[in-house]
Amino acid sequence: MRAPYRIIGLISGRGSNLLNLINKASDYEVCAIISNKQDAPGLKYGAQFNIPTHIFARAQFDTINSLKAAILDKCKQLNPDLIVLAGYMLIVSPEFVDAFYGRIINIHPALLPKFPGLDTHRRALEAGEKQHGCTVHFVDKGVDTGPAIAQAMVPCLPNDTEESLAARVLAREHEIYPWVVKNLALGKIKFNDRSIYYDPEVIAESRTLDFILHDEM
Ligand code: GRF
């Protein structure tokens, strides 16, 4: 039997993407949860699903860099197949990227390269965008700049508020993130530092599910 594909979820807050990844885990397992916030609501899923949690609160460390170094050490010790950022609000350190490049992914609530950073839904509405969405990408040393794996779009509707648009995007996040993780686990999406390989089945499925792959962005 093949060894399970082990992922770690890194969170800072609510953890709805983490919960969704746990609920849909079939070809991978969530082996640990790491939070940089003591009171992140998503930590409760550790207790609920019997997944070890590791908290690195700012107050325990002299500097933000020493906190980031401790998180990196923990990740090295856990040695996962994949690190999944799920509402993780710290920018990962260059050392972290060096250690895990190609094995760290993030979900960002915008159609990158549009709207990197914060407040994406408000900014999309203010810019009068007709389409908005989310992007799953490999993490590099920039902020929301790494190679994009897949995107899902939603329309911006005339009466949208930041909240209504965020909810529409989040529903798509919950479809696309476990789909990408599953296909990485199965080796049907691969990354060789330069380009992303998609198995023909993944390409076909992306059309059915209305996801956009790297070459189509
Ligand atoms: C999501 O919108 C995700 O795209 C962004 O942060 C938010 C996290 O939400 N990176 P949750 O904590 O997963 O509910």
Side-chain angles (χ1 to χ4, degrees), residues 5 13 18 25 58 76-77 97 123 132 172-173 181 207:
Y5 185 89
L18 172 72
R58 181 67 185 83
K76 284 181 175 166
Q77 184 193 328
V97 176
R123 287 157 63 207
H132 187 45
R172 294 293 272 152
E173 292 186 34
V181 173
R207 305 220 163 102

Side-chain angles (χ1 to χ4, degrees), residues 163-216:
E163 290 71 29
S164 63
L165 183 56
R168 194 174 308 118
V169 172
L170 191 66
R172 294 293 272 152
E173 292 186 34
H174 290 173
E175 293 168 11
I176 200 167
Y177 217 10
W179 181 79
V180 168
V181 173
K182 176 190 78 176
N183 283 305
L184 285 166
L186 292 173
K188 292 184 178 180
I189 299 177
K190 289 184 196 157
F191 182 52
N192 72 2
D193 286 8
R194 277 171 195 280
S195 52
I196 301 174
Y197 161 83
Y198 302 94
D199 184 278
E201 258 180 50
V202 166
I203 297 172
E205 226 175 69
S206 72
R207 305 220 163 102
T208 316
L209 297 169
D210 205 14
F211 297 149
I212 303 153
L213 303 182
H214 187 86
D215 294 342
E216 306 154 343

Side-chain angles (χ1 to χ4, degrees), residues 17-25 28 30 33 45-46 49 51:
N17 275 289
L18 172 72
L19 171 63
N20 180 60
L21 283 161
I22 295 169
N23 280 332
K24 293 184 180 159
Y28 59 89
V30 183
I33 300 167
Y45 302 126
F49 295 96
I51 300 169

Side-chain angles (χ1 to χ4, degrees), residues 13-18 86-87 106-109 170 173:
R14 173 177 66 175
S16 75
N17 275 289
L18 172 72
N106 181 42
I107 188 156
H108 181 74
L170 191 66
E173 292 186 34

Side-chain angles (χ1 to χ4, degrees), residues 134-145:
C134 56
T135 305
V136 180
H137 65 95
F138 288 107
V139 172
D140 69 5
K141 291 182 185 174
V143 176
D144 303 321
T145 51

